[in-house]
């Protein structure tokens, strides 16, 4: 990989993340309840998916489908997307259930609430949020490969 290719990978990753971040901020503007956009997770579209899929697509275009570099990039992308839809989403659902139980106990025992993570509403993604993130990554990578 020469320096031009490397910079194209970085450009594709950065542009796809910025596009996904901007779209996520606009779409989820009233859903984060004080949660800063840079720290937010979840929502439409997936920023992490857009970034890793852009790198994977750039690798596919530059190195080919049967290259070890593409295999590594595809594996990383698969792990990130699986994590976003399954693991992080399950953690978010468990967190919501635990907070509901805590709220019930708090009311019964007059407990004081100073949970700093209460404002974080979502930790994971729905499958369609990951799919749109992947779409953004693919489109940006193709555009970067054409323009640069």
């Amino acid at each position: 990989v020469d320096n031009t290719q490397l910079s194209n990978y970085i450009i594709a990753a950065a542009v796809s993340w910025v596009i996904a971040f901007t779209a996520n901020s606009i779409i989820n503007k009233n859903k984060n309840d004080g949660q800063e956009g840079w720290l937010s997770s979840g929502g439409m579209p997936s920023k992490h998916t857009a970034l890793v899929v852009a790198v994977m697509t750039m690798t596919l275009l530059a190195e080919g489908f049967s290259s070890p570099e593409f295999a590594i990039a595809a594996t990383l992308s698969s792990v990130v997307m699986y994590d976003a839809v399954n693991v992080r989403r399950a953690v978010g659902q468990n967190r919501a259930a635990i907070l509901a139980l805590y709220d019930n106990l708090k009311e019964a025992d007059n407990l004081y609430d100073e949970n700093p993570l209460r404002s974080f509403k979502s930790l994971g993604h729905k499958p369609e949020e990951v799919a749109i993130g992947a779409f953004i990554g693919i489109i940006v990578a193709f555009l970067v490969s054409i323009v640069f």
Side-chain angles (χ1 to χ4, degrees), residues 28-144:
N28 301 301
K29 184 176 183 180
N30 296 321
K31 296 179 184 175
N32 288 332
D33 291 341
Q35 185 177 344
E36 295 300 319
W38 292 99
L39 300 175
S40 68
S41 59
M44 173 71 82
S46 169
K47 299 173 289 239
H48 297 95
T49 299
L51 185 143
V52 296
V53 170
V55 172
M56 179 189 72
T57 304
M58 288 300 297
T59 306
L60 173 65
L61 295 172
E63 306 297 331
F65 184 77
S66 60
S67 70
E69 294 88 353
F70 176 72
I72 293 167
T75 301
L76 174 65
S77 294
S78 298
V79 169
V80 168
M81 291 185 286
Y82 177 86
D83 178 71
V85 171
N86 294 301
V87 178
R88 287 176 46 222
R89 188 164 183 212
V91 168
Q93 291 168 339
N94 286 338
R95 186 196 148 281
I98 290 167
L99 282 176
L101 288 171
Y102 177 78
D103 288 341
N104 288 337
L105 286 173
K106 183 178 75 177
E107 288 177 19
D109 293 336
N110 294 323
L111 297 175
Y112 177 70
D113 183 13
E114 56 179 67
N115 184 350
L117 297 178
R118 186 170 289 280
S119 65
F120 285 78
K121 300 295 182 197
S122 176
L123 293 174
H125 290 283
K126 296 175 185 170
E128 58 270 19
E129 295 168 346
V130 170
I132 297 298
F135 178 75
I136 290 169
I138 291 168
I139 297 300
V140 168
F142 272 104
L143 291 173
V144 167

